Amino acid sequence: MTTIRVDDVFVDETNATANFIVWLDVANAAPVTVNYATSANTAAFNSDYLHITGALTFVPGELSKTVSVSIINNAVAEVTENFFLVLSSPSANATIADSFGLATIIDND
């Protein structure tokens, strides 16, 4: 059975996006799907990043996909903050090995 995982990312607040890479451990003969959504931690959605949800479909032979989350560059001096990209509901031919990708936002103010 194919397993799915998501990488952690570090991003400077001046960057426009946090790019999470979602991986399959092996190429699959059938499509693999998984849902994703951002989840707040110390960073707040709509003031530090834009909340998104969606689904990824890996076609046979595909091993990675990128999920891009918009980062908001505000003028407020803040400590380093973070949020999650959470994977859920994989297709029947897959399991999730790492369901939480942590995005760390480094403040530029």
Side-chain angles (χ1 to χ4, degrees), residues 7-55:
D7 286 345
D8 297 336
V9 298
F10 289 87
V11 62
D12 187 278
E13 189 179 54
T14 58
N15 291 352
T17 58
N19 294 310
F20 291 92
I21 307 298
V22 180
W23 299 90
L24 300 184
D25 66 334
V26 295
N28 209 28
V32 172
T33 61
V34 65
N35 294 334
Y36 64 85
T38 53
S39 178
N41 192 23
T42 56
F45 70 88
N46 295 332
S47 66
D48 295 311
Y49 69 95
L50 296 181
H51 175 68
I52 62 169
T53 63

Side-chain angles (χ1 to χ4, degrees), residues 9-18 42-44 46-50 69-83 103-109:
V9 298
F10 289 87
V11 62
D12 187 278
E13 189 179 54
T14 58
N15 291 352
T17 58
T42 56
N46 295 332
S47 66
D48 295 311
Y49 69 95
L50 296 181
V69 179
S70 296
I71 301 299
I72 299 170
N73 184 9
N74 56 36
V76 177
E78 302 169 295
V79 297
T80 298
E81 299 176 308
N82 52 55
F83 66 94
T104 302
I105 304 171
I106 311 298
D107 188 55
N108 66 331
D109 301 307

